[in-house]
Amino acid sequence: MLYIIGFFILFCMVMSLRALFYPSRWKEHHVSLHHFLFLGMCYITIMIGFGLLFMLLELEGIQILVEAGRPLSGDFLDHFFTTMYFSGITLFSVGYGDVTPVGIGRGIALIESWLGYTIPAAFVVKSFLHYENK
């Protein structure tokens, strides 16, 4: 069951990125509330998706994150909020260092941070290319 949920999480994230990287038929101006909300929704989808992936792996017993040098402790909600927090600080490249990835979590965090850098660049390029095609 966890693998099915993981598949749907990945599907939502891929579809969100697909909407960003493929041409669309925007009819608004260069910078608009629509574009801003679209970018925000893309970030939120990616952040929640990676947070849920971290959570699923933790539930499977695969240690992904350590907090202050120790494995995550607490109940389900503690793990949920810690994985969402880690996903957010990784996506936005803040990286406070209080929660760190271990093992395969390092590779997943690397992919997430790479997406955090490329999403705004792709958004700007897409906006300007669309503007020039008018």
Side-chain angles (χ1 to χ4, degrees):
M1 181 65 171
L2 290 177
Y3 296 111
I4 293 171
I5 294 171
F7 172 77
F8 283 116
I9 292 168
L10 286 173
F11 177 76
C12 290
M13 290 174 19
V14 167
M15 293 307 290
S16 180
L17 289 172
R18 181 185 170 277
L20 180 65
F21 286 100
Y22 283 98
S24 67
R25 306 269 186 241
W26 288 346
K27 300 209 185 305
E28 288 89 19
H29 295 287
H30 235 0
V31 178
S32 68
L33 180 60
H34 172 76
H35 292 135
F36 180 74
L37 291 176
F38 175 76
L39 183 62
M41 287 285 111
C42 190
Y43 265 120
I44 288 171
T45 303
I46 299 300
M47 184 186 78
I48 291 172
F50 272 98
L52 291 175
L53 285 177
F54 288 128
M55 183 70 190
L56 285 174
L57 291 170
E58 287 282 338
L59 288 175
E60 279 290 308
I62 302 170
Q63 186 178 2
I64 298 293
L65 302 173
V66 293
E67 188 171 20
R70 286 175 256 128
L72 295 182
S73 60
D75 61 359
F76 176 82
L77 283 177
D78 289 336
H79 283 200
F80 176 77
F81 288 120
T82 301
T83 57
M84 287 299 157
Y85 164 77
F86 177 74
S87 180
I89 63 172
T90 300
L91 184 63
F92 295 113
S93 300
V94 176
Y96 293 122
D98 54 344
V99 179
T100 55
V102 293
I104 194 170
R106 290 180 176 182
I108 297 170
L110 184 63
I111 292 168
E112 184 178 12
S113 64
W114 175 76
L115 285 173
Y117 277 115
T118 59
I119 287 173
F123 182 76
V124 169
V125 168
K126 181 178 180 177
S127 295
F128 280 102
L129 286 178
H130 176 71
Y131 180 74
E132 289 177 0
N133 289 335
K134 283 186 174 184

